[in-house]
Structures are given as C-alpha cells and as structure tokens.
Amino acid sequence: MPPALMDNALTPTAPTPLVPASPGIAARWQALPARTQMLGLVGVAGLVVVLVSLWSGTRNADWRVLFPNLSEKDGGQVIERLTQLNVPYRFTEGGGTLLVPAARVHELRMKLAAGGLPSGAGTASAGYELLDKNSFGQTQGQERMKVQRAIEGELTTTIQSLESVKAARVHLALPQLNGFFREQQKPSASVVLTLHPGRTLDRSQIAGIVRVVSGSVPELAARAVSVVDSTGALLSAPSEDEAAQGLDTQQLQYRREVEASHLKRVLALLEPVVGRDNVRASVSAEIDFSQVMQTAEAYRPNQGADTPVAVREQRSEESTQPGSAVAGGVPGALSNQPPTPATAPITGPAQALQAAGGGTAGAAARREAATRYEVDKTVTVTKNATGTVRRLSAAVVVNHRSSIDPKGKPASTPLSAAEIEQLTALVQQGIGFDAGRGDVVKVINAPFRVESPPAVEELPLWQQPWLIDLLRSAAAPAALALVALLLVLTLVRPALKAVLAPAPAIGGRIDEVVGGNPALPAPPGAVPALAAPQQTDRIESARALARQNPAAMAQLVRGWVNGEAG
C-alpha cells in the first residue's frame, strides 16, 4: 500500500457511533458454555413432559364410566336417550363401556334408571330353540332335561321383560311321573330376581310372577313357587297380615282401597274446617270375603176354596150293552162254538148277544177318573256378594285451635264439646256410619307436638365438600404447574436470557465495520478531530480499497492489532 494512502487511512477522524450487527441465535447458543446448554435442554424436556401430563390428565378427568358391559340393544336405547338430553358420550375401544362427562354421571344414572334403562333385555336365556336340534342317540333323561331347560329359559325371558327386573333365574323341580306310584310328587319352582337399583316389587307384582310360573308348568301350585331377590330375602312369603287373616293379595289390596277411600272422605271434610296440618285420621275396615249360596223352597198352605189347583186329570170309561153276545165261559171246545146268528125283530128290543157255550152276557159299565192337585212352591237361590263391608272403625285426632294472646304470643285453645260432636257427625256421614253393623267413630281433641328441626351447624369454608373436591381435583394439575414453573425459572430462563441478551455497546469506535469485524477502540486521550471534506474523501478511498482488496485491508488491521508498525 502506498505511504500516502496509509497516512490518509491512519489519520484520526471523528467516527459516527454505530452498533455492530449482533450474531444469530444459533451462534449465540453455540457460544454458551456446555453446562448452560445441558441445563437448558433438560429444562425444555421437563417442561414438555409436564405439559403433556397436564393435557392428558385434563382430557381423561372430564369423562367417567356411565354403564359398563352394555349389550347392543341397551346401548342403542341409552344412546338415544342421551341424544334427547343433549349429552355428549364416548365409547371405549371395546365398545361395551359408555363414557359421559364426569359432572353428570350421577344425574344421568338416576334419569336413565327412572326410564328403566338399561333394561338388560339383551341377556335373554335360550328357550324353546334348544329343542330345534336333536342329537342322535338321545336318551329319555336327556330329552326330559332339555325340555326342562327350555321351559326355564322361556320363563326367564318373560320375567326379565318386566321393567323393574334386571335379571332373573328360574329353577324347576319336575318329578318323573310314574303310574306305579299311588301318590305322585308335585313339581316346585324357585325364582331368583335381580332388580334395577332403586326399584322394588309390590305384592301384586310378586303374585303376578308366581302366577306366571305356576301357570306355565302342569300341576304346579302357586304355593310351591318361591321368589327370592338378590339379597336372599324371600319375597313370596305371606305377610303377617295375610297369615293372620288368611287373605290373599287381591283381597288385601281391595281392603286397602276401601280404607283409603273412606280416609280420603274424612280428610276432605275436616281439613277445610280445622286446617290441613291440624288433623290426623285412620280408618280400618273389616271385609267379608265369604261367598255364600242359599236355596230355599216355600210351600203355600193349602187353605181356602181356590187354593188347590188341578195340574193333571185322567178319565177312563167302559160299558157293555145288555143282551149282547159276548164270549164267556171256560175256554174249551164248548166256548169255541160260533155264536147263534143274531135276529133283529122289526118291533121290540133287540135280542141279547149269545155268548160262546150258549150263555148270554148282561149289561155292564166301568168308569175311572184320576185328578192330581198341587200347591204353590217358591224356590229362592241367594248368592251373597264378596267383599262386603262388615264393620268400619274410624279414629280422628284434631289439634287445638291456634290463636294469638294479647301479648302477641301464640297460644292453643281446646275445642268445645259441641264442636267435637259436630266433627263426629261429619265423620259418621262421610264414612256411611251404620250402628247396626257395629261401626265405631272416635274423634278426640289434643294438642299436636311440633318438633323443631335440629340446628344444623354450618361448616367452615375449608371443610365444605365442594371445596374439598375442588382441591382434590386440582392438586395434581397444581403440582405439575409448580414443577413447570420451577423448570422455567431455574433451567430454561437462564439459557434464554444468555441467548437473547443484546450485545454490549462499545464507545469510541471507527465509523464503520468493514468485513464484519469490529473496529478497534480509539487510543486513550485521543481527541477526535472535526471531519473535513478531504477526510471524507480519504474515508471513501479507504472503503473502496477495502472492497477491491479486502485481503490487504485485513492484513493491515491484523498488523494494528498485533502492534506492528505501518
């Protein structure tokens, strides 16, 4: 380089402060220490794991199992009902488990149970289709057992069709009939029921199941059928009321209906008078379920002129004219002679008949009359109706009259005797009181004891169930979020801060960086001179030289850095 050009390049000038171009993020990352890089990578990996755990936990926590192991028929009915309720649902991989939002699991189970879902109808037992296949060489015992299994399966399917029954199992004990035994053993049956949660069977439904089973097996009596629930309780056993009175289910139901109707009448009469909460009543009815048929014959006494009535009369009459020849005498040769020819004179009576043997028969007459007389008879057949009310008993308790005393405090006043008599008369008219059959009505006046509900202590906020459930559900996400925050603050943040930090500003540098290398700092104590036009030309010449011969410029700068003379 010529000395003049070098002098111009080394002449001090007034540089413009410029910020050097910062290197890229990758270069800064590579310039970090290895320990900082490793900690940053570990922090990022841990943060990713925490975020994935939070997402999967939140996704799975929103869904719960509604019904497991649903059949296709029940699953279709449940899905249709969920669609009507606008409830989202989801199936597991096997398709037999139904998932719904966790917040509505219990609500949906109660609603579907009220509608009889799932009904369990898809688990029907094999019935008469067992008889479609007959194996070769089948013995009589195997055939009898197959028929028994078919009957049990059909009965199981029929009982499972009831709304309250979830599953059923029927066992039949069918003895082998044999004509050599004088007394044959009677068949019996046992039914095991599994009811839907929250469902029960009343006495009439249990009696219906017993009737279905007993009517499906020949010579199976209803008392030989036992019905048991899933807890082992005997449902078909007669109650104490039935055992004491010998009434069946229908008779007990009829008696309850009679008592309920009379009780409704009593309350309808008294509640408007004394108030709805001021009366308690009970009605008991004795019902006569005996069925009696009477036959009576009544005969009217045979007195008076017109009392006898002829219902049958028979008459017979025989006569023989005198002088007529009638065969007579002892049978023989003489009596077999022909009679003498009759002669009829012109005047006078006719000659009498000459009998065989020469005899003459005289005139004879015979009359018979038979008359039958009957008296009136009345036959009456009386059949008493079943379910006749034999006796009614009504007990009524009326509360004291409530009032406010002059001091403003509540007070109770007993009813007068006249008011009690009026209420008694109302009850008697309401139930159809009949003193002849022994009905009893009793009305008393007594103060009702009102028990105040026990005071419920309000739980503090930290013991509230909703808060406990919230903390339990949020414990795992909160712990993961804390771990993620620690990873960010301790591992990821220092590495990001080192990579993204701006380059420090360097004072007293040349006006431009040539070739991407930073300029050397100005010597200490140097006073920058004012830029002149000739200095500007020199700077432009230096720039042009750097562009044309960058190697020479780099060698020059290297010499400056090493302290070599120009």
Side-chain angles (χ1 to χ4, degrees):
M1 179 178 296
L5 184 59
M6 294 182 61
D7 294 339
N8 292 336
L10 296 175
T11 302
T13 59
T16 303
L18 297 176
V19 178
S22 61
I25 296 178
R28 293 189 178 186
W29 174 259
Q30 294 177 357
L32 292 176
R35 182 174 180 276
T36 305
Q37 293 180 358
M38 183 178 297
L39 292 178
L41 293 176
V42 171
V44 171
L47 184 60
V48 170
V49 172
V50 170
L51 293 178
V52 171
S53 301
L54 281 174
W55 178 78
S56 61
T58 305
R59 182 175 177 268
N60 296 330
D62 293 337
W63 299 90
R64 290 290 185 272
V65 177
L66 181 63
F67 293 115
N69 301 325
L70 283 175
S71 61
E72 295 181 356
K73 183 176 181 180
D74 289 341
Q77 295 176 353
V78 171
I79 290 175
E80 182 180 1
R81 182 59 178 166
L82 293 178
T83 304
Q84 296 176 357
L85 296 175
N86 295 326
V87 177
Y89 58 87
R90 184 180 299 174
F91 281 103
T92 57
E93 295 181 358
T97 302
L98 190 63
L99 303 177
V100 295
R104 305 191 62 181
V105 170
H106 302 290
E107 174 191 356
L108 293 175
R109 285 178 180 174
M110 292 181 181
K111 288 184 178 180
L112 294 175
L117 295 176
S119 61
T123 59
S125 301
Y128 288 123
E129 56 268 18
L130 292 175
L131 304 178
D132 296 338
K133 298 180 181 180
N134 295 324
S135 58
F136 181 76
Q138 183 176 356
T139 62
Q140 185 177 3
Q142 294 176 348
E143 182 180 1
R144 185 171 60 251
M145 183 59 65
K146 184 180 293 185
V147 172
Q148 179 177 341
R149 288 180 55 196
I151 298 175
E152 291 176 352
E154 291 294 330
L155 289 174
T156 300
T157 305
T158 302
I159 296 174
Q160 285 180 353
S161 62
L162 301 179
E163 295 182 355
S164 300
V165 179
K166 181 178 181 181
R169 188 73 181 271
V170 179
H171 301 277
L172 298 178
L174 304 179
Q176 184 178 0
L177 299 179
N178 195 334
F180 295 99
F181 292 102
R182 182 171 299 177
E183 295 182 0
Q184 298 290 344
Q185 187 178 1
K186 300 298 182 181
S188 60
S190 300
V191 181
V192 181
L193 301 178
T194 301
L195 304 180
H196 288 288
R199 297 295 187 90
T200 58
L201 295 176
D202 56 13
R203 304 298 300 177
S204 60
Q205 292 174 324
I206 297 173
I209 294 175
V210 172
R211 294 289 182 180
V212 168
V213 176
S214 62
S216 302
V217 180
E219 298 184 3
L220 178 59
R223 61 179 179 273
V225 179
S226 301
V227 181
V228 183
D229 62 1
S230 58
T231 62
L234 183 61
L235 304 179
S236 60
S239 61
E240 296 180 359
D241 198 0
E242 295 180 6
Q245 302 182 13
L247 303 179
D248 57 9
T249 305
Q250 295 181 352
Q251 293 174 349
L252 287 175
Q253 183 67 22
Y254 177 75
R255 194 186 71 176
R256 295 190 188 100
E257 291 177 357
V258 172
E259 294 175 350
S261 63
H262 286 83
L263 179 60
K264 186 177 180 181
R265 295 176 187 174
V266 172
L267 295 178
L269 290 173
L270 297 184
E271 284 182 352
V273 179
V274 299
R276 182 175 183 180
D277 297 332
N278 294 325
V279 61
R280 299 292 185 271
S282 176
V283 178
S284 177
E286 294 183 6
I287 309 297
D288 185 9
F289 293 101
S290 60
Q291 187 175 2
V292 180
M293 181 180 293
Q294 296 178 353
T295 303
E297 293 185 2
Y299 292 92
R300 190 169 57 179
N302 191 8
Q303 297 178 0
D306 57 347
T307 298
V309 178
V311 297
R312 182 179 180 185
E313 184 176 357
Q314 182 179 1
R315 294 176 180 275
S316 62
E317 184 177 352
E318 295 180 1
S319 62
T320 303
Q321 296 295 332
S324 59
V326 180
V330 179
L334 295 178
S335 61
N336 289 334
Q337 296 295 326
T340 304
T343 58
I346 298 175
T347 60
Q351 296 181 358
L353 295 176
Q354 183 179 2
T360 302
R366 181 183 178 185
R367 294 184 179 87
E368 293 182 359
T371 303
R372 182 180 177 185
Y373 295 89
E374 291 286 350
V375 296
D376 292 342
K377 182 177 67 172
T378 302
V379 179
T380 304
V381 178
T382 303
K383 184 178 181 180
N384 296 335
T386 58
T388 305
V389 178
R390 183 184 299 174
R391 185 171 177 268
L392 285 176
S393 300
V396 181
V397 181
V398 181
N399 191 15
H400 284 183
R401 183 183 292 108
S402 300
S403 60
I404 304 298
D405 58 4
K407 297 181 180 180
K409 296 182 179 180
S412 61
T413 305
L415 302 179
S416 62
E419 292 175 337
I420 296 297
E421 291 180 359
Q422 293 177 358
L423 296 179
T424 303
L426 282 177
V427 176
Q428 290 178 352
Q429 293 297 325
I431 66 173
F433 180 80
D434 187 2
R437 64 186 181 186
D439 294 350
V440 178
V441 174
K442 186 65 175 179
V443 179
I444 64 173
N445 180 222
F448 286 4
R449 181 177 298 175
V450 180
E451 297 181 358
S452 58
V456 180
E457 297 181 358
E458 186 176 358
L459 295 175
L461 181 62
W462 60 85
Q463 294 181 359
Q464 293 291 337
W466 63 269
L467 182 59
I468 296 175
D469 294 341
L470 179 61
L471 293 177
R472 288 177 179 174
S473 60
L480 293 176
L482 182 60
V483 172
L485 183 61
L486 293 176
L487 290 175
V488 170
L489 295 178
T490 58
L491 301 180
V492 179
R493 186 171 177 270
L496 291 177
K497 188 176 180 181
V499 171
L500 301 178
I506 302 175
R509 62 187 69 178
I510 61 176
D511 60 339
E512 186 176 0
V513 177
V514 180
N517 296 322
L520 293 174
V527 178
L530 296 176
Q534 61 273 14
Q535 293 177 350
T536 304
D537 296 339
R538 293 176 181 177
I539 293 173
E540 292 297 332
S541 300
R543 291 178 179 173
L545 178 62
R547 295 190 190 98
Q548 296 174 2
N549 193 357
M553 185 58 69
Q555 185 67 25
L556 177 62
V557 174
R558 188 179 296 108
W560 291 347
V561 173
N562 295 331
E564 298 177 358

